[in-house]
Every structure is written in structure tokens, then in C-alpha cells.
Amino acid sequence: MRSYSAGLVMLFLVVAAGSATRSHAQAPGYVSVVFAKAGLIVGAGGGRGVLTYRGRDYPFRVSGLSLGITIGASAMRLTGRVSGLRELKDFSGVYEAVGAGGALVGGFGGVQLTNKKGVTIALQGVETGLEFAANRSGIRIMLQ
């Protein structure tokens, strides 16, 4: 009898866990971004991209500033994965990144961005131009 009761409790827990509402469940998202930046000490940049989330595409704009050592100009074509996204509205906001990198004619790079809502964007891709950077960046993403 005791194992029968334990089995019912386990069945109930499995059913309850599987019935989480879709709005509270995290689903991965995928992004592609084209971004250009330039600077001398303070860098600035902007671009646009597309978030693919739950089977739909959402265009967005991205802009940012960096403080630290920034010399030169570059353009990037990045792709990556979004995690920690519970609702579409959590994607918009200010993301922080700390890092270093550079490009001399061309190269491959990556960056990880995080916002205060727990959304993380891991990007990698091709960078072209002439640039050296060691800085702290703030990136603003706005869904269109």
C-alpha cells in the first residue's frame, strides 16, 4: 500500500511539472546581428538583427557605447543563441559585456551579453576592419 501511494505522488508530480504554462517556460531563441562600430577611447556603434523565438522572427535595433581603450573601426556579422528568455518583452533592454578583442582586416570573435532580466545572448561571428578594444560595453536592444 505504501509503494502504491508513493507511485501516485510521483505520477502527480510528473503531471504537474509537465503542465507548466507556456508563458513561464523558457524557450531558446536565436539571433543574427549586423553591427558596425568605431571609436577612439569611447566607441559607439549600431546595427540591426533578427530574433527567432518560438517559431517567429522579430526584427530589432541595437546600439551601444563602450568605455575603455577603443581604437579603429570594424563591422561584424554575428549569430548566436539566446537563453533565459521567458517572455518576448524580456529581450528588449540594456545588456552589459566586458571584453577585449581586435581585428586586422578580418577575424573571428565572440561576446556574451546579459541583461537585468536574466537574458543571456552568446554571439560569435566574423569581424572585418582595423580595431583594438579592451573595454566595458553597454548595448541597448529594442524590438521594432
Side-chain angles (χ1 to χ4, degrees):
M1 181 73 168
R2 191 172 232 177
S3 65
Y4 178 73
S5 297
L8 283 176
V9 169
M10 287 301 292
L11 178 63
F12 173 47
L13 290 175
V14 168
V15 170
S19 65
T21 62
R22 189 167 174 98
S23 64
H24 294 298
Q26 291 183 6
Y30 301 92
V31 294
S32 61
V33 181
V34 176
F35 191 80
K37 63 181 180 172
L40 179 61
I41 300 176
V42 175
R48 62 179 179 235
V50 174
L51 165 68
T52 302
Y53 180 63
R54 293 187 171 154
R56 294 192 55 202
D57 290 340
Y58 300 93
F60 64 89
R61 292 238 179 245
V62 59
S63 60
L65 287 176
S66 61
L67 299 174
I69 301 170
T70 301
I71 300 170
S74 67
M76 295 170 278
R77 184 173 303 272
L78 305 168
T79 60
R81 184 176 170 100
V82 179
S83 60
L85 191 58
R86 293 184 180 273
E87 297 181 54
L88 180 62
K89 68 179 181 175
D90 293 341
F91 184 72
S92 293
V94 175
Y95 288 77
E96 292 187 7
V98 177
L104 178 60
V105 180
F108 185 82
V111 65
Q112 184 164 319
L113 308 169
T114 305
N115 73 11
K116 292 182 180 182
K117 297 173 187 167
V119 178
T120 299
I121 305 172
L123 296 167
Q124 61 277 332
V126 178
E127 183 173 3
T128 58
L130 176 60
E131 178 197 25
F132 170 77
N135 52 39
R136 180 179 182 110
S137 301
I139 308 292
R140 177 175 298 279
I141 294 178
M142 298 164 289
L143 286 168
Q144 295 180 311

